[in-house]
Amino acid sequence: MVVTFPHLGNTYIACKIMFDSLGIDYVIPPLSNKEALRIGAFHSPDEICLPFKIMIGNYIQSIEKGADTVIIVGSCGPCRLGEYCELQMSVLKNLGYQVKFIVVDYPGEIGIKELASRIGYISNQSHKKKIEKLRALYRAVKAIRLMDYIEQSARMIAGYEINRGECKRLLLQCRDRVFNESDPSKALKILKSYKAKLSKIPIDKKRKPLKIAIVGEIYTNIESFANHFIEDTLMDYGIATYKSLSPSWWLKYTGLKVLKLHAVRARLAAKQYLKYEVGAYAKETVGEAVLAYERGYDGIIHLLPVGCMPEIVSKSILTSIAKEKDIPIMTLLFDEMTGEAGYLTRIEAFIDLLERRRRDHVLSWR
Amino acid sequence: MYYLGVDVGSVSTDIVVLDEKLNVYDQVYLRTKGRPIEAIQRGFKQLKNKYKDKEVRAIGTTGSGRGITSFILGADCVKNEITAHAMAGVYYDKEVKTIFEIGGQDSKIILLNQGVVTDFAMNTVCAAGTGSFLDRQAERLGIPIEEFGNYALKSKLAVRIAGRCAVFAESDMIHKQQLGYDSADIIKGLCEALARNYLNNVGKGKDIQPKVFFQGGVAANIGIKEAFEKILGFEIFVPKYYNVMGAIGAALLAKETVESKRCKTNFKGFDISDHVFITNSFQCKDCPNECEVVRILDGEVEIGCFGDRCGKWNQKSHIKSS
Ligand code: SF4
Ligand code: SF4
């Protein structure tokens, strides 16, 4: 068995560590790129959303490299809109790929037993002892939390760094190095060392950088390729960026959902604006926007891909939040046409807007 | 002493020269023809004999080619079109609350409050209503584009044209023409369709407050200005230098930059028109991103490089000044 899985931010790092520990063969698809999108868009239904297409591209690129078992995250994955994973399976089946699918789903949907048996199937492929298997899982969770922590901090510290570009370099280097390490315990050591390095980056605490919060559709938030690497761009401009969505956020969310304790703060904050579930994570989007306002962010960028329905709902609510709370919110809609320049212009103009607003406030305060 | 502003769009390139009192002293209009560097060189050749290098106190670039050309010119300030247009609009009238900008390729709306941008939107997808679209229609009807607006004014009753999309608008016009409608009525109908289309797309959900400035090449078309006024119910103003507002904004922003940093300009001089610039691009294969890396050479010397996400080809390029 050679397993593969779609990309979602840093998850590939955790998966790699897990499969390396379990001794299971795997193929990691090439990092999502234009080619993956092209392949995915070609084989997917036209009107389906962008994340679907990129993931199909990931699967196919992996299958071509020898993967025969595809792990799909079920309806609890990026979207709860109906038959996402069934549709993906049928696309791949129709293409004639003889692969096995393992759908890992939220236990509420398929029951704990079924989930256990599906995971059991994967784990039976490993000849390691049970304790080793548990350790593999533990390492994977640890790795994703470390990597997400490093990324989140680097994006924030970038606003305060004294040597421009240092945070970005460190982040890219860290990803590169863990990825090229096949010994799981060494990989974890690398992550820890980068966490330490990050805390030693010289910063100017007195700087008051612009602070921007990123909210919106979960896949577009987490998979940088889908948002044209917006956070890297913001780092280049010396902006402190915060984004709550990450693979580890999702793990926690899905785990706590069993107890109905998921994303309590954000969901409470959203209550006033959005009383009903509209699918996916629209409620969290709205809630995070309100929290960002309360935490004193200068502005909010809302990301959604073309063809995404749940986030259209949050978009209209965000418009009224922007007015009511007087906080600038920019919505960026991502599609298959990779027109880089248009996004850059919008991001730059948004930064200018925030800067001038701030300067203005300072002037009137004087 | 002069301040230079350069707006490099995909269709046209504008250069303005502002004098010490910030009045527009000179302007050059060029077709970009997809080659921004050549356009810039042609433009500076025209200016070369009139001005001396040391008379230039600051230079700024804007437009989609702002990055590339900033390397060539040694720009002090590189700004996006939204900020540049807003800057120029506010400079001419502090009361401006809304700016409509319709250029050759795209259209924008900018909302301001006390001279500060509060919101904006851009449409780069739909061609209906942009300058290039109007040019084509004028040509098809055999009417010079300068006369287009006046024709609309002659009409008493507009023909209703479906303006939601450039393709529909065009075929609907051809259809109405074949039915024998008067050209003036068709043109007026087209102007109204385009104004509606703009307000429903770019201006969707925006609170449009007077005073409104109408900027960009299409503002020359009085028929569209009137159509806007009819729909909105108040007067729209077309500033005197409506078609070079982006370049004026770039010059003003460059002045601000140089003054706030108390530094000298980086301007490379008018004789850049005599240099030989070579741009070459290659696809980096070092990781799946497969960036298209672009390098600009002045003779043998590399003066700029961009397109690499990780910054491996140019350590300097990923530190931008926003
Ligand atoms: S939330 Fe939107 S973009 Fe994400 S999977 Fe669902 S429909 Fe697609
Ligand atoms: S320039 Fe950097 S990010 Fe781009 S393909 Fe090469 S190595 Fe990858």
Side-chain angles (χ1 to χ4, degrees):
Chain A
M1 182 179 77
V2 183
V3 294
T4 191
F5 47 85
H7 274 296
L8 186 66
N10 295 323
T11 35
Y12 68 97
I13 290 173
C15 290
K16 181 178 153 55
I17 288 180
M18 182 166 77
F19 292 129
D20 278 338
S21 310
L22 288 172
I24 291 180
D25 274 345
Y26 60 89
V27 172
I28 295 178
L31 290 179
S32 300
N33 60 4
K34 289 186 203 114
E35 187 57 16
L37 174 57
R38 196 190 59 72
I39 297 174
F42 186 74
H43 295 299
S44 307
D46 251 351
E47 55 308 324
I48 202 89
C49 62
L50 196 62
F52 186 102
K53 297 178 180 172
I54 301 176
M55 286 161 91
I56 291 285
N58 289 160
Y59 298 139
I60 294 180
Q61 286 188 319
S62 280
I63 293 170
E64 280 167 357
K65 282 182 156 186
D68 58 17
T69 305
V70 178
I71 299 180
I72 295 188
V73 200
S75 51
C76 60
C79 181
R80 277 183 265 142
L81 265 190
E83 288 88 36
Y84 206 77
C85 61
E86 265 96 77
L87 200 55
Q88 292 198 324
M89 286 196 264
S90 80
V91 165
L92 293 180
K93 273 185 196 142
N94 288 343
L95 286 171
Y97 290 120
Q98 304 290 333
V99 287
K100 186 174 167 56
F101 297 95
I102 299 175
V103 181
V104 180
D105 212 332
Y106 157 60
E109 311 274 337
I110 54 171
I112 293 269
K113 253 200 179 143
E114 175 64 22
L115 179 66
S117 93
R118 289 183 191 180
I119 290 180
Y121 176 83
I122 307 175
S123 125
N124 283 341
Q125 303 292 322
S126 160
H127 302 299
K128 301 270 157 111
K129 285 200 213 78
K130 191 153 190 198
I131 179 93
E132 291 283 322
K133 289 178 185 172
L134 281 176
R135 182 180 291 156
L137 197 66
Y138 168 78
R139 276 176 178 155
V141 172
K142 185 143 193 161
I144 192 67
R145 293 183 53 184
L146 271 171
M147 191 62 226
D148 282 347
Y149 171 85
I150 291 168
E151 174 160 1
Q152 214 170 29
S153 321
R155 308 261 191 230
M156 182 50 74
I157 300 174
Y160 302 87
E161 66 190 5
I162 288 172
N163 309 316
R164 292 287 295 270
E166 200 170 351
C167 286
K168 185 174 168 184
R169 263 197 305 280
L170 206 79
L171 178 62
L172 294 179
Q173 216 178 59
C174 171
R175 261 202 214 120
D176 213 45
R177 283 197 50 200
V178 263
F179 187 60
N180 288 319
E181 178 55 66
S182 50
D183 178 335
S185 74
K186 278 191 191 148
L188 275 177
K189 278 208 189 92
I190 294 177
L191 286 174
K192 280 186 205 139
S193 76
Y194 273 89
K195 183 178 169 187
K197 272 189 198 162
L198 199 62
S199 64
K200 289 199 201 80
I201 283 186
I203 57 169
D204 176 0
K205 288 206 181 93
K206 285 203 262 352
R207 253 197 94 195
K208 294 215 163 21
L210 284 177
K211 285 165 105 181
I212 294 182
I214 294 187
V215 302
E217 195 272 325
I218 187 168
Y219 183 90
T220 317
N221 262 252
I222 299 181
E223 182 62 10
S224 308
F225 170 71
N227 60 42
H228 290 228
F229 304 87
I230 187 170
E231 290 162 289
D232 289 349
T233 308
L234 292 172
M235 272 178 133
D236 292 344
Y237 287 113
I239 299 218
T241 314
Y242 173 75
K243 178 183 78 182
S244 73
L245 296 182
S246 66
S248 34
W249 177 91
W250 183 79
L251 266 183
K252 202 170 138 200
Y253 178 98
T254 312
L256 287 177
K257 200 168 165 227
V258 183
L259 310 170
K260 294 221 176 328
L261 282 173
H262 50 306
V264 178
R265 295 192 58 186
R267 299 173 68 82
L268 272 182
K271 221 168 170 182
Q272 191 192 342
Y273 297 94
L274 186 60
K275 296 213 173 58
Y276 312 100
E277 291 293 338
V278 290
Y281 302 87
K283 207 165 195 171
E284 285 73 18
T285 298
V286 171
E288 286 297 339
V290 176
L291 288 179
Y293 163 76
E294 284 167 3
R295 289 174 187 148
Y297 278 79
D298 293 275
I300 298 170
I301 299 183
H302 175 220
L303 311 178
L304 74 155
V306 155
C308 172
M309 285 181 297
E311 287 297 327
I312 292 284
V313 178
S314 34
K315 178 178 185 235
S316 62
I317 299 170
L318 288 182
T319 315
S320 55
I321 293 180
K323 270 207 192 101
E324 216 169 280
K325 309 265 187 209
D326 188 28
I327 179 166
I329 303 182
M330 173 170 69
T331 297
L332 287 180
L333 187 73
F334 292 91
D335 60 19
E336 284 152 48
M337 267 66 90
T338 34
E340 201 74 25
Y343 292 114
L344 263 187
T345 299
R346 285 178 177 87
I347 295 170
E348 281 183 16
F350 191 65
I351 295 172
D352 284 347
L353 177 164
L354 299 179
E355 239 162 35
R356 297 243 160 196
R357 238 172 88 99
R358 200 188 251 191
R359 206 187 304 169
D360 218 47
H361 284 182
V362 174
L363 285 181
S364 58
W365 168 78
R366 262 188 207 148
Chain B
M1 283 301 171
Y2 301 103
Y3 301 97
L4 306 185
V6 184
D7 182 352
V8 193
S10 48
V11 177
S12 64
T13 295
D14 307 309
I15 307 175
V16 294
V17 180
L18 304 186
D19 66 14
E20 205 130 351
K21 296 208 172 72
L22 302 182
N23 296 317
V24 176
Y25 186 77
D26 205 346
Q27 47 176 306
V28 182
Y29 169 90
L30 307 135
R31 294 225 149 249
T32 313
K33 292 182 193 152
R35 298 178 171 276
I37 296 178
E38 278 175 38
I40 290 292
Q41 286 187 299
R42 270 183 283 135
F44 276 77
K45 196 167 203 153
Q46 288 180 36
L47 296 171
K48 195 174 159 185
N49 298 325
K50 294 195 236 169
Y51 310 95
K52 292 196 188 71
D53 287 356
K54 56 177 190 296
E55 287 175 332
V56 174
R57 206 175 270 167
I59 176 165
T61 60
T62 185
S64 54
R66 61 184 179 280
I68 282 207
T69 45
S70 72
F71 292 123
I72 305 237
L73 294 166
D76 301 303
C77 172
V78 187
K79 275 284 176 193
N80 62 85
E81 307 90 289
I82 308 244
T83 305
H85 274 279
M87 181 83 186
V90 170
Y91 175 73
Y92 287 108
D93 193 336
K94 298 235 163 353
E95 301 297 308
V96 167
K97 285 246 165 64
T98 311
I99 295 174
F100 295 170
E101 199 271 336
I102 311 185
Q105 279 288 291
D106 59 7
S107 43
K108 314 174 185 71
I109 186 168
I110 308 171
L111 305 187
L112 303 115
N113 185 17
Q114 298 178 347
V116 180
V117 177
T118 56
D119 197 4
F120 61 85
M122 237 174 108
N123 186 351
T124 43
V125 188
C126 180
T130 58
S132 325
F133 176 72
L134 279 177
D135 280 347
R136 204 168 70 229
Q137 300 319 318
E139 201 176 311
R140 229 171 36 74
L141 291 168
I143 294 167
I145 185 72
E146 302 76 34
E147 283 298 307
F148 212 69
N150 292 330
Y151 259 81
L153 294 191
K154 279 191 224 153
S155 155
K156 297 221 170 51
L157 188 69
V159 176
R160 197 162 171 100
I161 306 273
R164 228 171 314 126
C165 149
V167 183
F168 285 142
E170 182 154 4
S171 61
D172 201 23
M173 267 180 70
I174 295 176
H175 176 66
K176 298 275 154 66
Q177 237 182 322
Q178 284 163 348
L179 290 179
Y181 283 99
D182 183 47
S183 289
D185 294 346
I186 293 181
I187 292 176
K188 185 167 171 134
L190 181 65
C191 290
E192 285 181 6
L194 296 185
R196 247 183 288 122
N197 176 46
Y198 174 90
L199 293 172
N200 291 336
N201 277 317
V202 193
K204 188 171 163 200
K206 303 276 183 252
D207 184 18
I208 297 171
Q209 294 284 340
K211 185 171 197 176
V212 177
F213 262 20
F214 185 10
Q215 307 181 170
V218 172
N221 191 316
I222 189 160
I224 296 200
K225 169 178 180 283
E226 267 220 339
F228 274 132
E229 289 174 339
K230 190 172 145 196
I231 299 170
L232 293 170
F234 49 75
E235 197 182 350
I236 307 281
F237 296 86
V238 176
K240 186 172 170 198
Y241 298 107
Y242 63 90
N243 58 346
V244 288
M245 293 294 266
I248 293 176
L252 295 171
L253 286 161
K255 172 176 182 281
E256 208 183 73
T257 310
V258 168
E259 280 169 4
S260 77
K261 284 196 199 150
R262 298 214 179 80
C263 61
K264 271 199 166 157
T265 180
N266 293 322
F267 181 47
K268 294 200 174 157
F270 287 94
D271 64 2
I272 54 141
S273 52
D274 305 330
H275 289 215
V276 179
F277 295 104
I278 301 162
T279 43
N280 55 37
S281 67
F282 64 97
Q283 204 172 38
C284 174
K285 295 266 186 206
D286 294 359
C287 86
N289 281 340
E290 302 198 347
C291 301
E292 185 81 22
V293 184
V294 180
R295 282 176 157 155
I296 307 173
L297 305 171
D298 180 355
E300 303 273 280
V301 194
E302 180 175 314
I303 54 169
C305 172
F306 55 88
D308 50 342
R309 286 208 184 288
C310 62
K312 81 185 284 176
W313 297 101
N314 182 12
Q315 290 299 329
K316 261 187 286 172
S317 77
H318 70 149
I319 302 171
K320 296 170 195 157
S321 57
S322 64

